[in-house]
Amino acid sequence: MTASLCTFLPYFFDSSNYLTAGFAKSQIGFDSVLATTSAVNPTQTSSLVQQSQALYEAGQFVQGVELLKKAVAEFQDTNDVFNEAIALSNLALTYQQLGRWQEATEAITQSIKLLQTLKDSDSLQQQAQVFAQALDVRGGLELAQGQTEAALNTWQSAAKIYQRLDDISALIRNRVNQAQAMQALGNYLQADKTLISVRKVLKNQPNSPIKAKGLYSLGNVLRSLGYLNDSHLVLEESYSVARVVKDAIAQSSALLSLGNTARAQIYAQFSLGNSSSAKDYTQTAIQYYQKAAQIASIKPTVRLQAQLNLLRLLVEQKEFSTAKALLPQIQSQIDSLPPSRTGVNYRINFAQSLSKMIQNSVGPKDIAKILAQAVQVANSLKDERSESYALGTLGGLYEQSGQLADAHTLTQQALVKAESLDAQDIAYQWHWQMGRILQKQSDISAATAAYNRAYNALKSLRNDLVAINPDVQFSFRESIEPIYRQYVDLLLQLPENTFQKSDNVIQARQVIESLQLAELDNFFRSPCLLPRIDLDKLVEKEKSTAVIYPIILDRRLEIIIRLPGQDAIFHKTIKVPKDVLENTVEQLQKDLPIASREPDVKQHSQQLYDWLIKPIESDLANADITSLVFVLDGSLRNIPMAILYDRQQQKYLIEKYAISLMPGLQLLDPKPLHNVRLNALIAGVEQERLIEGKSFPELSNVTQELKLVQSEVRSSKELLNQEFTKANLQKQIQSTSFSVVHLATHGQFSSDIEQTYILTWDSLLKVRELDNLLKAKGESRQGTIQLLVLSACKTATGDKRAALGLAGVAVRAGARSTLATLWTVDDESISDFMGELYRQLDAGVTKSQALQRAQLAILAKENRPYFWAPYVLIGNWL
């Protein structure tokens, strides 16, 4: 999809990311999937309720609201408190679909108040059921508005009622919701346990349509949380159950979701550099979508969803001839759709796919016609949210075709509607689009202001984008990251801009810091990392430290430097294209783990030195800088800065400066290690292991390494081989306050959170588990780990963003600093390095100085970078 089109609207439709209670069924009407009470005494009011439900299911929400408001009034007139409460609960659901949050909140609050006044002992069970459903609706509203902790508490209250009523299907739905809230709060182990319990309950249920639906919902949530393999397995089980009970709709829905999971795995495999696996998943996804479309003949909307998703995938993979064959089928179905929000979304989705085929016999006028129809339908429904999507997407099409005046007008109309609803999840896209249009019209000042509005909207949406939108995590690099980079690009184009130069640089640095935070949020599927410190005060305090931000833009490299001294922030521009820089970094990354490639390493590291350090050499020298803190960008995170080579002085950067990294200077609070008594928990796996299908060779120097650490640390506890288990590690962390945790074992850092792990004797300790385990004592306790050492780990081969996993470990492990290796060195040099590191730490130098001296000690004996360069320090350098 081109950058000019809407990217927030989910392309690949399936169930919403959290599961609402659905329309509740009152005594007089509603017949919903999750309803519990039966219909009696049909009346005129019941007809209103039934009509509103039909409108809700058809996506005609505005009309549904009007009927429900009328039903509420009539229930009030007859003093039917119970059914008034149910109608209000359904009204809240409908308002939520329209993004009318305040009205939705007022409706559900009133519903719950009414239910709490009821005391009819003859219908206590019925009242309890509806009360729990109302709580589920309120929890959904709270999560959608970023009130994650409140949502979890609300859903837990509902769960107690469902347990008392022994309502298994409602309890499953509720616990799946809870798991998502736990995940968003960073409680990964709790979320995992909850999902495992849901899976066990479902497994013990007899085959039925309800079981198939429960598995289907669970599979979708697992995908949204990043558990792609588990999602696939659960959805396969859902499909199997649906086949046994002969539920064709459930079969096609499961197949559709299986296709979506396979499509997510395509992204994951490409990110990891596994192009052949990505191709395999592409074919798998195509097959799932095709089969879903074939089975779904009895439910046309599912068939159309499957075909639209298939078209999107074919277009992304540039299989245009196959994609063209789908167009007449999709077009004929779209033409016959009744007016609804679903119909609007389908038209937008179809147009977005077609926009990628403009060079392949698809005309812009045909696409514009489809989008104009979407605008017309949304307008007839009085659905301003959908109308904003349609107008903005049409504006994006005009931007793509160079009709900038029309693009500007339509985008402004889309913005007005989005902002009237306070729908920041839509508005940020149109601010971004407006910024691009204005930049193309050479109005740089107005473009910068538009980007600033998009950036601020994204900051306000941290919870929403990660916690409740499953599509963002798989399209982050296309739909979110470019906004930050393009905004920085504008800010640092000094000649055209009206802002002061220093203000621009400060704002650009803040934007890059925010991008680092957003990347980690996306990695963890959890927006719970919070800025902690004032970075400028910190630099002023540390007079010999400079902070360097290299920023990779499309046509140039920008370097922002923060030196001690008032207003000592500036930037340098290096004209090097992004692909040239990244190719150099990639080649260096390949050469470093091979000892014999020292000449190639030196060649590439010289070039990087010229780009990154040479332009600021004199500034560093004049300020008497001895320590460098890098906040690295993109692929630069995959290589050690120590390796940069000054060809004139014939010195590596580590020979001139102590070096450390920060994933974002605001995320960690650096404090000196001085006066902290070193006591260490040391653990390792030396023997060959086969765990979870992965083979790990022997690490012959682990015992020697641990002995050297013990000899330099006053107090230590060792867990070697069979003793190094998750349970033993957690037991030790909880029982003793260790200043150092040293793990000498295989490990891997990856941009895929499921492929970021540490090897214990009998399992892979995933980063989510490591986070909870090492923070067992809590950061507020005196026992905070000062240094986590991960020896013998490596970054995933071929993964251009692998060091994102290392950054994730550093900020979430609860340690002030993390020292890790970017590639495995199974040699006695690592033992020598660790011995020297702890000697220096014990002598009272800073952590970055201890790292520098330990590396120089190895370099003095062995000049090849393979042996001394893999170590990086992330976090507290003091």
Side-chain angles (χ1 to χ4, degrees), residues 655-723:
E655 297 179 83
K656 301 162 73 173
Y657 302 99
I659 298 169
S660 61
L661 310 177
M662 286 289 265
L665 202 60
Q666 299 177 76
L667 288 176
L668 296 162
D669 186 5
K671 292 181 180 179
L673 191 59
H674 308 322
N675 303 320
V676 174
R677 183 174 179 269
L678 288 183
N679 66 318
L681 173 62
I682 59 176
V685 176
E686 187 170 56
Q687 297 177 17
E688 181 181 357
R689 304 299 294 154
L690 178 63
I691 305 291
E692 296 184 19
K694 300 179 187 291
S695 178
F696 299 95
E698 177 188 3
L699 291 170
S700 58
N701 287 284
V702 165
T703 299
Q704 180 183 352
E705 178 180 336
L706 298 188
K707 285 181 178 178
L708 273 170
V709 175
Q710 286 178 307
S711 70
E712 299 298 336
V713 178
R714 297 187 185 95
S715 174
S716 63
K717 171 66 178 178
E718 180 182 275
L719 301 174
L720 181 61
N721 290 330
Q722 291 92 333
E723 294 180 340

Side-chain angles (χ1 to χ4, degrees), residues 243-271:
R243 289 186 65 190
V244 170
V245 300
K246 295 181 169 52
D247 187 333
I249 294 175
Q251 288 179 56
S252 57
S253 296
L255 287 166
L256 176 63
S257 285
L258 279 164
N260 294 345
T261 296
R263 185 239 184 185
Q265 287 171 315
I266 296 169
Y267 279 113
Q269 294 304 312
F270 270 127
S271 177

Side-chain angles (χ1 to χ4, degrees), residues 1-7 399 432-433 436 478 482 486:
M1 173 178 183
T2 62
S4 60
L5 297 183
C6 165
T7 52
E399 179 202 352
W432 177 25
Q433 187 163 287
R436 297 194 307 268
E478 292 77 35
Q486 291 165 15

